[in-house]
Structure formats: C-alpha cells, structure tokens
Amino acid sequence: MIVTKLELKSFRNYPSLVVDFDKKLNVITGPNGAGKTNIVEAIHYLSLARSFRAENDFELMRRGDTTAFIDATITEGDLTRKVRVTFTPEGKLISCNGKKIARLSELSHLVNVIIFEPSDVNMFRDVPKARRKFLDVSLSKQSSTYLGLISRYEKALKERNAILKSEHPDLLHLDATTELMVELSEPIIQYREEYVARINEILGRVVQALGGVDAQAQVVYQPYMKAIADFPSEAHSLFAQALETDLRRKSSSVGIQREDFSVLLNGSDIGRYGSQGENRLIALALKLSPYFLIKNKEKRPIIVLDDALSELDENHQERLIQFLGRFEQVFITTTHYEKKDASVYEVSEHKVLRRKAE
C-alpha cells in the first residue's frame, strides 16, 4: 500500500499543498513548528478518520477557514484509490473514488497506516488503556469481526455504567447488560490471546534487528479471565462478586475494559525495570511487528514514524534506517537528515521542497 500523492487544503498550517511521494523511505525535515508532523498526521487520518494529536476535527482546519480537505492517491498493486476527507462546520465527509464511505470502519481497509508517535515511548509505563488501545486498533484493522465485537462491547459497557450511575439501578436491566458483556467478552479474549501469540512469533526478531543484540522479548497478556470451557458461568460469578462494589462505585470493575498486557525483555518487565532507551526500542518494535503479520505484501500498511530518530544514538539510527528498507513505504519526520537512500522533503514556510532519493 503506497501513498503516491497528497493534497491538503486549509489543513493545519497549510493553505494549500500538493506533494508526490516515493516508495520506500520518505523523510520529512524542517525546524520544529514548520509543519512536518501535520503532513504525516494527514496521512494517518486517512486510516482511522481521527487524529493522533487533536481531540476534535475543528483543530485540524486552518484558523479562519470554514472548510478543509485531505486528498490522497493510494495504490495497492494494480489498484488506485482516490480518498478524500472534507472537513466542514457540520462534520466530515469521506469518499473513495467519488463514492461516499458510510462506515468509518471501511477506511482502515482502504488506507492502512501504522504510526509511532513520541508518546509511545511511555506505552509500558502509561495506564493500561494505552496498551489496550494498541491491541484494539491493531486487531480491528485486521478483523472486521473483532471490530464489531469490541464496538458492541463498548456500547454495552456504556449502558451498564449508566444503569449503575442511576439513582435507582434497574437490576433486571443490569443483568441483561451483564449477560451481553459476558457473551461478547469470550471471543474478544480469544482474539486477543491469538493475536498476542502471533506477535510473539515476530517481536523478538524485530527487537534484535533494531537493537543489534541477542535479546528475548515477549508480550504477556493479562485477561480478566481465561478463555475456558465453562467461561460464561465463571464470568458471571466474577460479575456477581463485584456487584456490590460496582453499585457503590457506580462503574464496572470487571471485564475486558480492565485488561492489560506487559512486555518482558530478557525476563524483566520493561515498564518497571527498563531504561528509557529500552522502552523506546521495545515500543518501536511492538508497533512495527503487526506489519509482518499481513501475508499479502500489497495490503501491508504504510509506516509513519514521527520524531523516532531524535533520541537514538548514531548506531541505532543506522540500524533503524536499514531495517526500514524492508517496508514498502515509510514516512519519517526529523529536524535534520543527511543520509542517502531516501527521498527528502524539506518543510519551510508552508511549502515543501522535494529532493529525490540518491
């Protein structure tokens, strides 16, 4: 999957921008605040219809303008797609080859993007929600069934919490919602367990390639309950035990929304005992690993690395650049780049000057 052309209109700090991209490594350089990240933000937006930086879409429109758009040409083998997102005060409109996309879940199949952003270095020290987000986004991109399950579960959880917060909770309604959450959580746990197992087949090799040392890395999934033969009965028992607490705290304390995972590096929890450099290395390796789970090379995602080089020493920078040669298309933002074998885009004053790969 390749972005061959990107056009922005009134997006962030760009009044207007048209830029062509190459396969393999594309490096976007310029001083801080010039608008480097705005370009990769637009590319990533095409995958999930939401920004990894902004809370709402209004922040994405250039100040003073009432409409904006992202226009991209995407190739996948012999297929070419023109994907457009138009922002208006009434909301966003998304189309592919001129046809409106009704369901945002379709986007990740049309434009699949894996992103590493600066905050990811704290993934293993952050709250569990950050790690669950990685699992849910990665799995949802690979399985529409999982996306449907997790969407239904989140809706049921919201309903159950609303019942708990009411002045006089309807216990029959609460039981029915709990029943649905139990029913949905069993296959979700199975999906998560299987996905983590697949990631673990790859993660160690990616860590070794990036770190240059023989290291053992393993994701350890922590489900709220194992997927066992008597799952419904055992799950209902856990919910029953927590009912008094849930009613008192007015929120659900049991379920997949409480799950977590950790990553062990040579047997030690990276979040608790790893250095900042080790946390960055493992976070980067974990984010890149799903790429190799997709067998069809033409459907493999676009890689975006926002400011991934800044805290790496020269040796690890070189190892990362070499490793990125395995991907079909990569975007890196950085303040300075002198290495060869990349197409370099210099950002300055809302304009982009392109240097071809050498």
Side-chain angles (χ1 to χ4, degrees):
M1 197 172 288
I2 306 293
V3 181
T4 59
K5 185 175 183 177
L6 180 71
E7 183 174 357
L8 305 179
K9 182 72 173 178
S10 298
F11 182 86
R12 288 289 194 180
N13 66 325
Y14 290 100
S16 181
L17 177 70
V18 180
V19 58
D20 297 319
F21 293 117
D22 291 329
K23 293 183 178 180
K24 297 301 180 179
L25 184 57
N26 297 271
V27 180
I28 302 171
T29 70
N32 292 329
K36 303 184 300 294
T37 299
N38 296 345
I39 294 174
V40 295
E41 179 183 27
I43 293 170
H44 174 263
Y45 193 97
L46 296 168
S47 180
L48 293 175
R50 66 172 181 261
S51 168
F52 65 90
R53 303 161 70 203
E55 289 296 322
N56 61 68
D57 291 338
F58 293 110
E59 297 177 44
L60 305 179
M61 289 192 285
R62 190 166 176 263
R63 185 173 297 178
D65 292 339
T66 56
T67 59
F69 70 74
I70 305 169
D71 219 348
T73 302
I74 312 292
T75 61
E76 183 182 309
D78 296 329
L79 299 175
T80 298
R81 303 187 184 103
K82 293 187 180 295
V83 179
R84 168 174 281 214
V85 181
T86 303
F87 303 94
T88 71
E90 290 74 37
K92 58 186 166 229
L93 301 172
I94 305 173
S95 64
C96 178
N97 295 335
K99 183 179 179 181
K100 182 181 177 181
I101 295 177
R103 299 176 61 186
L104 297 181
S105 58
E106 296 175 38
L107 265 185
S108 61
H109 298 288
L110 300 174
V111 190
N112 192 356
V113 179
I114 286 176
I115 186 165
F116 176 87
E117 53 183 305
S119 62
D120 285 333
V121 71
N122 298 314
M123 180 190 294
F124 311 114
R125 295 170 175 167
D126 207 341
V127 294
K129 183 179 179 180
R131 293 180 286 279
R132 289 195 302 271
K133 179 182 175 182
F134 164 77
L135 274 182
D136 287 338
V137 170
S138 299
L139 264 166
S140 294
K141 286 182 176 182
Q142 293 202 13
S143 169
S144 57
T145 302
Y146 182 86
L147 176 58
L149 288 167
I150 198 70
S151 298
R152 290 176 63 200
Y153 184 92
E154 288 172 354
K155 184 178 179 180
L157 173 63
K158 184 177 181 180
E159 184 176 349
R160 188 176 193 271
N161 285 339
I163 298 168
L164 291 169
K165 287 179 172 64
S166 63
E167 187 174 352
H168 301 290
D170 183 338
L171 295 184
L172 287 178
H173 189 185
L174 191 70
D175 285 345
T177 309
T178 302
E179 177 69 36
L180 179 58
M181 289 171 63
V182 169
E183 178 186 328
L184 294 168
S185 64
E186 184 174 14
I188 288 172
I189 290 173
Q190 290 173 342
Y191 268 103
R192 288 179 174 181
E193 286 180 337
E194 291 168 6
Y195 189 73
V196 166
R198 293 174 66 204
I199 287 289
N200 280 333
E201 293 175 1
I202 297 166
L203 182 62
R205 284 174 284 171
V206 177
V207 170
Q208 290 177 26
L210 293 176
V213 294
D214 185 13
Q216 301 297 317
Q218 181 186 15
V219 180
V220 180
Y221 173 45
Q222 300 156 13
Y224 85 94
M225 218 190 80
K226 295 287 187 181
I228 56 176
D230 198 20
F231 182 94
S233 175
E234 293 295 324
H236 276 295
S237 178
L238 288 178
F239 274 97
Q241 292 171 32
L243 180 58
E244 185 177 337
T245 299
D246 289 356
L247 289 168
R248 186 174 68 255
R249 296 181 178 176
K250 299 184 180 299
S251 67
S252 302
S253 62
V254 171
I256 61 165
Q257 77 279 3
R258 301 289 182 176
E259 293 186 345
D260 198 359
F261 72 82
S262 59
V263 176
L264 304 183
L265 179 63
N266 295 326
S268 296
D269 187 324
I270 191 73
R272 296 181 63 186
Y273 303 109
S275 66
Q276 184 79 349
E278 288 172 331
N279 270 267
R280 175 174 287 269
L281 170 68
I282 300 300
L284 186 55
L286 184 62
K287 280 297 192 82
L288 294 176
S289 291
Y291 180 93
F292 301 101
L293 298 180
I294 301 173
K295 301 302 181 184
N296 186 340
K297 290 185 177 181
E298 293 177 353
K299 292 187 176 296
R300 284 179 171 174
I302 300 154
I303 305 297
V304 170
L305 306 180
D306 185 27
D307 195 28
L309 300 177
S310 62
E311 295 186 23
L312 297 178
D313 59 36
E314 188 172 344
N315 175 53
H316 284 95
Q317 283 189 18
E318 190 61 40
R319 296 196 70 87
L320 174 59
I321 296 300
Q322 289 179 1
F323 184 74
L324 295 176
R326 306 184 189 193
F327 300 91
E328 288 300 302
Q329 189 178 45
V330 180
F331 293 89
I332 290 180
T333 65
T334 183
T335 55
H336 187 71
Y337 192 86
E338 293 296 336
K339 297 179 176 62
K340 297 182 179 181
D341 301 322
S343 294
V344 179
Y345 302 81
E346 298 173 346
V347 178
S348 176
E349 298 179 353
H350 317 316
K351 297 179 181 178
V352 176
L353 178 64
R354 183 172 184 258
R355 296 204 315 256
K356 289 284 290 184
E358 299 182 24

